[in-house]
Amino acid sequence: MKLLLKAAKIIDPGSKYHHKKVDILIEGGIIKKIGASLKIKDVDKEIDLKNLHVSKGWFDSSVSFGEPGYEERETIKNGLKVAGQSGFTQIALNPGTNPVLDNNGSITSVKSKAENNAVQLFTIGALTNKSEGKDLAELYDMHQAGAISFGDYKKAISHPNLLKLSLLYAQNFDGLVQSFPQDDQIAGHGLVNEHINSTSLGLNGIPALAEELQIIRDLYILEYTGGKLHIPTISTEKSVKLIKDAKKRGLDVSCSVAIHNLIYTDDELVEFDTRYKVLPPLRTKVDVKALRKGVLDGTIDMVTSDHTPIDLEHKKVEFEHALYGTIGLESAFGALSTIFDLDETVSLLTKGRARFKIPEVEIKEGNQANFSLFDPEEQSTFNKENIYSSSKNSMFLDLKIKGKVYGIINGTRSSMPTIG
């Protein structure tokens, strides 16, 4: 099939076409020609969209669906459709399913269900059996099956020796270990950020100390063992400082931040709306400012939607009993565009692959097409009609956003209503 993208402005600082408006011919999933006002015969589909911009395909390092076990929240098939319509060509799936993705067979099964899709699914294997935090899972076997990293989703590694062993063992195959940044003993029965708002609302708080103590411990262990450590979804000012210092000391550590922690503060909790119940919790304006700075100066390696579908039965309940999580794929681009400029936003959405050994595909003739397509200027209010997920637990509802996603092209496949 021949596809011709008309008058597409390329956003890719590493490309000679950066900020240039060009036509792009794609044939059999390969970029055949890039140039101004191409005249091509026998084109199967011509894509000419308002203010069309194109970048390298976006990547999200922390996405949850439901299948297997929680299909009422999201299936793999629909979840990947959501990712594509949201502009993502590749996502990393968290292991928090039922059963947990903690062995070769479960990794292989999930990957097989994602085959022949425009969005490529990569798997994160659980670090411990059943994510119970007791015994290491079959890390090497999962690595052989294609797992790109290992971590227990939203569960802290309570036993320091377990982290030590995992970092040592994973070095045998250059594996990447993830450690969720929370000391559960300090967090206790906390539900939200421990601060003025938690006190005034009468909600148990999770102090910033719970995150920072865990990060300090993990960094000391990493310094002792060597290896590669990824700390997902940090949320405090001091966490940024700790990781920045660790990188200066030469430690092989990376981290991410959830987009909602860059947008919202715990001021949103005033009406006890469970859409704002996330882990780590929404913090303060000081933390948000530090996180944004950390993103821009490179201390924070990547952003993530931390997309977590939760069914109505477990979200529309009393705040104490509601499960943690918000969906975020659909709102990722529009939300980021409200706080960062276009080049910064696209850069953040395309970062992170190298950490997980996922090759990047440059926009140049002869390469496979791996594109996100969007209009960066259109302004709107995010509402329920913008949600493609089966679950609707989005804290971004009613947020004024900037930008519209058209979809993706990835090789011979696409996820975009305009081109089928």
Side-chain angles (χ1 to χ4, degrees):
M1 175 181 276
K2 286 185 180 180
L3 296 178
L4 183 61
L5 300 183
K6 295 294 293 182
K9 190 172 185 179
I10 293 179
I11 306 298
D12 181 5
S15 169
K16 65 180 181 179
Y17 302 107
H18 184 46
H19 280 190
K20 292 182 179 179
K21 190 174 286 189
V22 296
D23 293 350
I24 306 173
L25 176 66
I26 303 166
E27 187 173 352
I30 303 299
I31 303 170
K32 288 294 184 180
K33 194 169 183 61
I34 301 175
S37 302
L38 296 180
K39 306 296 182 185
I40 308 294
K41 296 181 179 179
D42 304 321
V43 171
D44 296 294
K45 296 275 186 179
E46 185 171 294
I47 303 165
D48 190 357
L49 298 166
K50 176 187 173 185
N51 198 27
L52 176 60
H53 285 58
V54 171
S55 74
K56 289 187 288 189
W58 302 341
F59 167 69
D60 194 326
S61 62
S62 178
V63 172
S64 298
F65 294 146
E67 187 177 5
Y70 304 112
E71 285 83 358
E72 70 279 6
R73 299 177 187 175
E74 191 65 274
T75 63
I76 291 172
K77 181 179 179 180
N78 193 64
L80 292 175
K81 182 179 178 181
V82 171
Q85 292 176 319
S86 303
F88 292 88
T89 61
Q90 296 169 319
I91 61 104
L93 184 70
N94 292 311
T97 52
N98 185 21
V100 170
L101 306 182
D102 64 356
N103 58 67
N104 183 304
S106 61
I107 297 292
T108 302
S109 175
V110 165
K111 290 184 67 177
S112 68
K113 291 179 180 179
E115 289 177 352
N116 303 317
N117 197 287
V119 179
Q120 291 175 275
L121 181 148
F122 298 90
T123 49
I124 298 170
L127 186 71
T128 64
N129 290 333
K130 300 180 181 179
S131 286
E132 291 177 344
K134 296 178 181 178
D135 301 302
L136 283 184
E138 302 168 2
L139 305 189
Y140 182 70
D141 284 352
M142 288 190 286
H143 168 74
Q144 291 290 89
I148 59 172
S149 182
F150 308 95
D152 294 335
Y153 183 62
K154 300 294 183 187
K155 293 184 177 182
I157 304 173
S158 297
H159 299 293
N161 193 52
L162 195 60
L163 178 62
K164 185 192 79 170
L165 291 174
S166 64
L167 285 167
L168 288 169
Y169 179 69
Q171 289 178 57
N172 292 308
F173 51 90
D174 197 29
L176 177 64
V177 172
Q178 297 196 30
S179 177
F180 181 65
Q182 179 169 290
D183 184 315
D184 288 338
Q185 290 183 316
I186 297 293
H189 298 290
L191 301 171
V192 299
N193 180 47
E194 183 181 87
H195 198 241
I196 296 170
N197 286 323
S198 63
T199 302
S200 63
L201 295 171
L203 294 171
N204 291 331
I206 301 174
L209 179 67
E211 176 169 309
E212 294 151 8
L213 272 181
Q214 190 83 349
I215 289 176
I216 290 170
R217 185 206 74 171
D218 290 356
L219 292 174
Y220 268 114
I221 293 173
L222 178 65
E223 189 170 24
Y224 176 80
T225 60
K228 296 162 60 176
L229 178 67
H230 179 67
I231 302 175
T233 59
I234 67 170
S235 68
T236 79
E237 178 186 30
K238 190 166 185 179
S239 294
V240 178
K241 293 178 181 177
L242 289 168
I243 292 169
K244 187 172 187 176
D245 177 66
K247 288 184 173 184
K248 286 181 179 178
R249 291 187 283 122
L251 298 186
D252 194 349
V253 61
S254 58
C255 67
S256 67
V257 61
I259 293 171
H260 49 260
N261 284 102
L262 295 170
I263 302 288
Y264 294 106
T265 70
D266 60 357
D267 289 341
E268 304 296 332
L269 299 170
V270 64
E271 294 184 0
F272 297 90
D273 190 333
T274 59
R275 291 181 298 124
Y276 299 101
K277 185 179 179 183
V278 289
L279 198 66
L282 301 177
R283 302 287 188 182
T284 68
K285 291 179 181 178
V286 172
D287 295 309
V288 169
K289 183 179 179 180
L291 291 167
R292 291 181 183 182
K293 183 180 179 182
V295 162
L296 292 178
D297 70 18
T299 301
I300 298 174
D301 300 87
M302 63 198 82
V303 301
T304 172
S305 69
D306 204 25
H307 181 84
T308 308
I310 303 294
D311 55 288
L312 195 65
E313 181 181 351
H314 291 94
K315 201 62 172 174
K316 200 76 171 178
V317 294
E318 295 88 348
F319 199 92
E320 181 180 354
H321 299 297
L323 296 183
Y324 292 103
T326 179
I327 58 173
L329 284 170
E330 297 98 321
S331 51
F333 175 64
L336 282 174
S337 295
T338 66
I339 55 175
F340 300 118
D341 68 29
L342 176 58
D343 284 2
E344 291 165 346
T345 297
V346 170
S347 173
L348 293 174
L349 289 170
T350 53
K351 286 176 70 174
R353 287 181 174 88
R355 187 59 171 168
F356 297 93
K357 295 184 181 177
I358 300 171
E360 289 213 38
V361 181
E362 297 180 24
I363 300 178
K364 68 177 184 180
E365 294 174 358
N367 280 1
Q368 178 176 304
N370 188 305
F371 296 151
S372 298
L373 293 79
F374 53 95
D375 171 2
E377 300 300 329
E378 182 168 320
Q379 300 193 34
S380 62
T381 299
F382 189 78
N383 56 45
K384 289 183 179 179
E385 286 67 42
N386 302 121
I387 295 177
Y388 312 121
S389 300
S390 299
S391 294
K392 311 301 179 185
N393 57 306
S394 172
M395 74 164 65
F396 295 92
L397 287 173
D398 300 323
L399 178 72
K400 294 186 184 303
I401 59 173
K402 183 181 179 184
K404 175 182 179 179
V405 176
Y406 288 124
I408 63 169
I409 297 172
N410 192 1
T412 58
R413 293 183 170 84
S414 64
S415 181
M416 184 176 166
T418 308
I419 58 178

